[in-house]
Amino acid sequence: LVHLTINHIPVAVPKGTKIMQAAAKIHIDIPHLCYHEDQRIKAHCRLCSVEVTGRRRLYAACSTECWEGMEVHTDTPIVRNTQIAILQLMLANHNRDCLSCPRNQNCDLQHLVSRFNILRSPLPSVVRDTQRIVTNPSIVRDPSKCIRCGRCIRACKDVQGIAALTYAHRSSDIVVTTAYDKPMEATDCVLCGQCTLVCPTGAIVERDATQRVLRALQDKSKHVIVQVAPAVRVALGDAFGLGAGAIATGQMVTALKLLGFDKVFDTNFGADLTIMEEGYEFLDRLQHGGVLPMLTSCCPAWVTYMEKEYGSSLAHLSSAKSPMGMFGAVAKTYYAEKADIPAKDIVTVAIMPCTAKKAEAQRTGLGRGGQPDIDYVLTTRELIKLIKYVGLTFRDLPESPFDSPLGEATGAGAIFGATGGVMEAALRTVVEKATGKPLDAIEFTAVRGLEGIREASLDIAGRTVRVAVCHTLKNAAKLMAAVRSGTSPYDFIEVMACPGGCAGGGGQPIGTRRVVTAQRIASLYEIDRSLPRRKSHENPEIQKLYADALDAPLSSKAHNLLHTTYQA
Ligand code: HC0
Ligand code: SF4
């Protein structure tokens, strides 16, 4: 242990601990902006400067390791004046239209300016361009809000291995932009939103659809239904003081009903349906010499990555639509018929922990007659805004169940929101179908966890099947090298673009970090354990859907409705 004092309070910390974490141990939050707990430390904003007795320069608390006998001061006049000067410089180069900023009241810069009680800025504004860049369905950039902390750049490069965002120019002219200033979607960007999750201000945010959804809800001629992704229910509570990973399914359904949705359905139902199609597709490829390894196709950032980077390997992708896509297709056909409402009068909204889902919803393969199957996608963050707008005290809401017939789901559907969940859900159905025997040991723990790449071998009806699971596109690239060259040892690979899977999705609440994602994942497995049915093929509503309208998995009807194609 290393012994030091911070503001005269003694602390003992393991060797190698940074001043920032030592201070946190005694409940002192040292201000910071470029530092993010999941990222490489850059220490370039210098906002975390502290004084050390006997030393003439200031130290960055995020990057300086504690030493024996160190006396740290976080609140001396020099420290405070430095921090205020840094903030004032940032403010001079920051578009301060806070009142109409998407991150209003949820902005690190705003919090710090408030914390330091900076009432007026003595420096004249040098903000140049205040034009927001709106070129794709998912992500909006506002360079006038950028404080050049580089967190988005590191998320894109270090997590996804993509590097669509970069610094350009030098010194006071430095900006964060894309290569040649191209629109994001015209770069290697896959719209995953990991950059939006770490941005401390409103410089890079999801494209807001809340107003359009509110208008649909107020339109009496429309029947507005909503589906909610598996990972939203374990993240939404973050914004309402429920604690990381809190399971808020029942309150969430109540909130959506109070918002005016005519029916509240579950994407987990769509996930069960995906398992039927994708699971049977895998068995079919396995038994009839189809293209292997088969790659999962439910994560839209991953699908876009495949289309942009691995165009010659698209035959490996499962043709199954994502759960969101399948849900939308069923909603505008089967459900429309059952409910006796013309599809044109049904508006489907999807709540997703994801920004890429907004772009996925606009894919031409996900619609019929020129109309999209999913009309609007809101991120978890946007749902939080809507709940706040109507003034619901979320944590006190009673619980409500999902509506029928697209609201029943199994534990297999629930775990889709965790990395490894799609594979585990698929195996629960595939193994049972292939062997014809009921599967008792349904927890495939080898594919669980947060290792970047996990693998497992299992015997399916006399054949050894090798599967792999990975999260983040940086890890996917490692597996894809072998797929492209035809040397992959695997038969089936699950890829989710975001760290931890959708639980850590780019549309989740600001403040999402790896530790929080891990708690959400634990909750998803808890939901799975708590359900009476844990295999997708045992979902009675899915069985009824096949009996009523689709015949069987992979039937031509199922193919028409539930499968899609990809384009390099
Ligand atoms: Fe996911 Fe999904 S699990 S991508 O991570 O497969 O967004 O939560 O909704 O569609 O079900 C996200 C989450 C979904 C889909 C499902 C899949
Ligand atoms: Fe990079 Fe994802 Fe952001 Fe695109 S959306 S810039 S891929 S982190």
Side-chain angles (χ1 to χ4, degrees), residues 6-9 19-31 74-75 115:
I6 301 177
N7 301 347
H8 307 290
I9 304 166
I19 298 172
M20 180 108 75
Q21 280 72 43
K25 215 179 147 193
I26 54 168
H27 315 295
I28 295 174
D29 172 42
I30 295 180
T74 70
D75 57 358
R115 172 169 161 184

Side-chain angles (χ1 to χ4, degrees), residues 139 152 155-156 160 162 164-165 184 188-195:
I139 293 177
C152 58
C156 192
Q160 301 296 35
I162 289 183
L165 297 165
M184 289 175 79
D188 290 340
C189 169
V190 295
L191 303 174
C192 72
Q194 283 300 311
C195 47

Side-chain angles (χ1 to χ4, degrees), residues 462-477:
R463 169 167 179 177
T464 304
V465 170
R466 292 191 68 182
V467 304
V469 164
C470 76
H471 55 140
T472 78
L473 297 174
K474 200 174 189 177
N475 287 317

Side-chain angles (χ1 to χ4, degrees), residues 264-564:
V264 181
F265 292 132
D266 200 350
T267 308
N268 296 18
F269 168 89
D272 279 335
L273 188 55
T274 294
I275 287 305
M276 299 304 289
E277 294 297 321
E278 194 167 342
Y280 276 79
E281 182 186 358
F282 176 60
L283 272 179
D284 185 61
R285 288 188 187 212
L286 203 60
Q287 288 160 355
H288 300 106
V291 178
L292 294 175
M294 188 174 88
L295 308 171
T296 57
S297 58
C298 41
C299 167
W302 156 239
V303 168
T304 302
Y305 182 69
M306 280 295 292
E307 291 180 321
K308 285 192 173 186
E309 310 293 332
Y310 296 93
S312 60
S313 304
L314 292 177
H316 288 272
L317 276 176
S318 161
S319 63
K321 287 180 186 172
S322 72
M324 178 183 85
M326 288 197 182
F327 182 97
V330 171
K332 293 230 174 155
T333 55
Y334 175 76
Y335 172 74
E337 215 174 291
K338 279 213 144 196
D340 198 17
I341 302 169
K344 67 170 180 49
D345 292 332
I346 297 179
V347 175
T348 65
V349 177
I351 318 279
M352 296 281 140
C354 176
T355 50
K357 286 279 176 198
K358 288 175 184 269
E360 182 194 341
Q362 296 189 5
R363 290 178 73 98
T364 44
L366 266 62
R368 57 211 61 254
Q371 292 301 309
D373 283 340
I374 298 113
D375 294 286
Y376 303 111
V377 174
L378 299 178
T379 59
T380 312
R381 297 195 285 270
E382 288 165 276
L383 175 58
I384 290 166
K385 286 184 182 180
L386 285 182
I387 292 172
K388 289 186 174 170
Y389 158 67
V390 288
L392 303 177
T393 48
F394 185 81
R395 52 179 307 153
D396 302 327
L397 290 179
E399 300 188 20
S400 308
F402 284 105
D403 286 308
S404 181
L406 315 179
E408 169 100 32
T410 69
I415 59 176
F416 262 60
T419 167
V422 178
M423 180 60 71
E424 181 167 342
L427 292 177
R428 288 179 189 177
T429 289
V430 164
V431 174
E432 195 160 304
K433 292 293 160 189
T435 59
K437 286 190 224 115
L439 179 71
D440 294 326
I442 63 162
E443 297 196 351
F444 293 86
T445 49
V447 295
R448 294 189 182 186
L450 284 167
E451 271 301 309
I453 299 175
R454 285 101 63 202
E455 52 166 29
S457 279
L458 59 158
D459 182 84
I460 299 184
R463 169 167 179 177
T464 304
V465 170
R466 292 191 68 182
V467 304
V469 164
C470 76
H471 55 140
T472 78
L473 297 174
K474 200 174 189 177
N475 287 317
K478 294 178 192 161
L479 294 174
M480 280 312 293
V483 173
R484 179 148 62 186
S485 65
T487 56
S488 174
Y490 303 112
D491 299 300
F492 193 2
I493 300 177
E494 175 202 305
V495 180
M496 285 289 177
C498 290
C502 294
Q508 291 286 46
I510 298 300
T512 294
R513 314 180 297 287
R514 263 181 241 140
V515 282
V516 174
T517 300
Q519 282 168 296
R520 291 178 191 153
I521 289 174
S523 297
L524 290 171
Y525 288 118
E526 190 182 321
I527 294 174
D528 170 35
R529 279 194 304 275
S530 73
L531 288 170
R533 296 186 193 87
R534 299 174 69 189
K535 301 169 192 163
S536 297
H537 55 277
E538 291 178 352
N539 182 333
E541 288 185 352
I542 296 277
Q543 291 168 345
K544 188 159 173 11
L545 171 65
Y546 278 106
D548 287 357
L550 296 175
D551 302 337
L554 305 187
S555 70
S556 68
K557 283 182 190 165
H559 232 277
N560 273 334
L561 201 62
L562 307 176
H563 290 253
T564 189

Side-chain angles (χ1 to χ4, degrees), residues 252-264 400-401 403:
M252 177 184 78
V253 175
T254 305
L256 289 165
K257 299 222 158 191
L258 291 172
L259 271 161
F261 286 99
D262 293 304
K263 295 282 176 190
V264 181
S400 308
D403 286 308

